[in-house]
Coordinates of all heavy atoms in Angstrom, one line a residue:
K15 N 132.8 182.0 79.6 CA 131.8 183.0 79.6 C 130.7 182.6 80.5 O 130.6 181.5 80.9 CB 131.3 183.2 78.2 CG 130.5 182.0 77.6 CD 129.8 182.4 76.3 CE 128.5 183.0 76.3 NZ 127.4 182.5 77.1
P18 N 124.3 182.9 80.2 CA 123.4 183.4 79.2 C 123.9 183.5 77.8 O 125.1 183.7 77.6 CB 123.1 184.9 79.7 CG 123.4 184.8 81.2 CD 124.5 183.7 81.3
G19 N 123.1 183.1 76.9 CA 123.5 183.3 75.4 C 123.6 182.0 74.7 O 123.9 182.0 73.5
Y20 N 123.4 180.8 75.3 CA 123.6 179.6 74.6 C 124.9 179.5 73.9 O 125.8 180.3 74.2 CB 122.4 179.3 73.7 CG 121.2 178.7 74.4 CD1 120.4 179.5 75.2 CD2 120.9 177.4 74.3 CE1 119.3 179.0 75.8 CE2 119.8 176.8 75.0 CZ 119.0 177.6 75.8 OH 118.0 177.1 76.4
D21 N 125.0 178.7 72.9 CA 126.3 178.5 72.2 C 126.7 179.6 71.2 O 127.9 179.9 71.1 CB 126.3 177.1 71.5 CG 125.0 176.9 70.6 OD1 124.2 177.8 70.4 OD2 124.9 175.8 70.1
F22 N 125.7 180.3 70.6 CA 126.1 181.2 69.6 C 126.9 182.4 70.1 O 127.8 182.9 69.5 CB 124.9 181.7 68.8 CG 124.6 180.8 67.6 CD1 123.9 179.7 67.8 CD2 125.1 181.2 66.4 CE1 123.6 178.8 66.7 CE2 124.8 180.3 65.3 CZ 124.1 179.1 65.5
S23 N 126.6 182.9 71.3 CA 127.4 184.0 71.9 C 128.9 183.5 72.2 O 129.8 184.3 72.0 CB 126.8 184.6 73.1 OG 126.6 183.6 74.2
A24 N 129.0 182.3 72.6 CA 130.4 181.7 72.8 C 131.1 181.5 71.5 O 132.3 181.7 71.3 CB 130.3 180.4 73.6
Y25 N 130.3 181.0 70.5 CA 130.9 180.8 69.1 C 131.6 182.1 68.6 O 132.7 182.1 68.1 CB 129.9 180.3 68.1 CG 129.3 179.0 68.3 CD1 128.3 178.5 67.6 CD2 129.9 178.1 69.3 CE1 127.7 177.2 67.8 CE2 129.4 176.8 69.5 CZ 128.3 176.4 68.7 OH 127.8 175.2 68.9
R26 N 130.8 183.2 68.8 CA 131.4 184.5 68.3 C 132.6 184.9 69.0 O 133.6 185.3 68.4 CB 130.3 185.6 68.4 CG 130.7 187.0 67.9 CD 131.1 186.9 66.5 NE 131.7 188.1 66.0 CZ 131.1 189.0 65.2 NH1 129.9 188.8 64.8 NH2 131.8 190.1 64.8
I27 N 132.6 184.7 70.3 CA 133.8 185.1 71.1 C 135.0 184.2 70.6 O 136.1 184.8 70.4 CB 133.6 184.8 72.6 CG1 132.5 185.8 73.2 CG2 134.9 184.9 73.4 CD1 132.0 185.5 74.5
G98 N 128.3 187.6 61.0 CA 127.8 188.5 62.1 C 126.3 188.5 62.2 O 125.8 188.5 63.4
P99 N 125.5 188.5 61.2 CA 124.0 188.5 61.3 C 123.5 187.3 62.1 O 122.5 187.3 62.7 CB 123.5 188.5 59.9 CG 124.7 189.2 59.1 CD 125.9 188.8 59.8
A100 N 124.2 186.2 62.0 CA 123.8 184.9 62.7 C 124.5 184.9 64.1 O 124.0 184.2 65.0 CB 124.1 183.7 61.9
M101 N 125.6 185.5 64.2 CA 126.4 185.5 65.5 C 126.8 187.0 65.8 O 128.0 187.3 65.9 CB 127.7 184.8 65.3 CG 127.5 183.3 65.0 SD 129.2 182.6 64.9 CE 128.8 181.0 64.0
P102 N 125.8 187.8 66.1 CA 126.2 189.2 66.5 C 126.9 189.3 67.8 O 126.8 188.5 68.7 CB 124.8 189.9 66.5 CG 123.8 188.8 66.8 CD 124.4 187.6 66.2
R103 N 127.8 190.3 67.8 CA 128.6 190.5 69.1 C 127.8 190.9 70.3 O 128.0 190.5 71.4 CB 129.6 191.6 68.8 CG 130.9 191.1 68.4 CD 132.0 192.2 68.5 NE 133.1 191.7 67.8 CZ 133.5 192.1 66.6 NH1 132.7 193.0 66.0 NH2 134.6 191.6 66.0
N104 N 126.7 191.7 70.0 CA 126.0 192.3 71.2 C 124.6 191.8 71.3 O 123.8 192.5 71.9 CB 126.0 193.8 71.0 CG 127.4 194.4 70.9 OD1 128.2 194.0 71.8 ND2 127.6 195.3 70.0
L105 N 124.3 190.6 70.9 CA 123.0 190.0 71.0 C 123.1 188.6 71.7 O 123.9 187.8 71.3 CB 122.2 189.8 69.7 CG 120.9 189.1 69.8 CD1 119.9 189.9 70.4 CD2 120.4 188.6 68.4
V106 N 122.4 188.4 72.7 CA 122.4 187.2 73.5 C 121.0 186.7 73.6 O 120.1 187.3 74.2 CB 123.0 187.4 74.9 CG1 122.9 186.0 75.7 CG2 124.4 187.8 74.8
C107 N 120.7 185.5 73.0 CA 119.4 184.9 73.0 C 119.4 183.9 74.2 O 120.3 183.0 74.2 CB 119.0 184.2 71.8 SG 118.9 185.3 70.4
D108 N 118.5 184.0 75.1 CA 118.5 183.2 76.3 C 117.5 182.0 76.3 O 117.3 181.4 77.3 CB 118.3 184.0 77.5 CG 119.5 184.7 78.0 OD1 120.6 184.2 77.7 OD2 119.4 185.7 78.7
D109 N 116.9 181.7 75.2 CA 116.0 180.6 75.2 C 116.2 179.8 73.9 O 116.7 180.3 72.9 CB 114.5 180.9 75.3 CG 114.0 181.7 74.1 OD1 114.2 182.9 74.1 OD2 113.4 181.0 73.3
S112 N 114.6 180.8 70.4 CA 115.2 182.1 69.8 C 116.5 181.7 69.1 O 116.8 182.2 68.1 CB 115.4 183.1 70.9 OG 114.2 183.6 71.4
V113 N 117.4 180.9 69.8 CA 118.6 180.5 69.2 C 118.4 179.8 67.9 O 119.0 180.1 66.9 CB 119.5 179.7 70.2 CG1 120.7 179.1 69.5 CG2 119.9 180.6 71.4
Y115 N 115.6 179.7 65.9 CA 114.9 180.5 64.9 C 115.7 181.7 64.4 O 115.6 182.1 63.3 CB 113.5 180.8 65.3 CG 112.7 179.6 65.5 CD1 111.8 179.4 66.6 CD2 112.6 178.6 64.5 CE1 111.0 178.3 66.7 CE2 111.8 177.5 64.6 CZ 111.0 177.3 65.8 OH 110.3 176.2 65.9
L116 N 116.5 182.3 65.3 CA 117.1 183.6 65.0 C 118.5 183.4 64.6 O 119.1 184.3 63.8 CB 117.0 184.6 66.1 CG 115.7 185.1 66.5 CD1 115.7 186.0 67.8 CD2 115.1 185.8 65.4
Q117 N 119.2 182.3 65.0 CA 120.6 182.2 64.7 C 120.9 180.9 64.0 O 121.5 181.0 62.9 CB 121.4 182.2 66.1 CG 121.2 183.6 66.7 CD 122.0 183.7 68.0 OE1 121.6 183.1 69.1 NE2 123.1 184.5 68.0
E118 N 120.5 179.7 64.5 CA 120.9 178.5 63.8 C 120.3 178.4 62.4 O 121.1 178.1 61.5 CB 120.4 177.3 64.7 CG 120.9 176.0 64.1 CD 120.5 174.8 64.9 OE1 119.3 174.5 64.8 OE2 121.3 174.2 65.5
R120 N 119.7 180.7 60.4 CA 120.2 181.7 59.5 C 121.7 181.4 59.1 O 122.2 182.0 58.1 CB 120.1 183.1 60.2 CG 118.7 183.5 60.5 CD 118.6 184.8 61.2 NE 119.0 185.9 60.3 CZ 119.5 187.0 60.8 NH1 119.7 187.2 62.1 NH2 119.8 188.0 60.0

Side-chain angles (χ1 to χ4, degrees):
K15 68 172 274 309
Y20 277 77
D21 48 6
F22 271 83
S23 60
Y25 292 171
R26 180 59 188 253
I27 293 167
M101 297 182 196
R103 268 196 191 100
N104 300 314
L105 173 70
V106 175
C107 296
D108 276 338
D109 68 278
S112 294
V113 170
Y115 294 133
L116 294 175
Q117 295 180 288
E118 183 178 75
R120 299 175 72 203

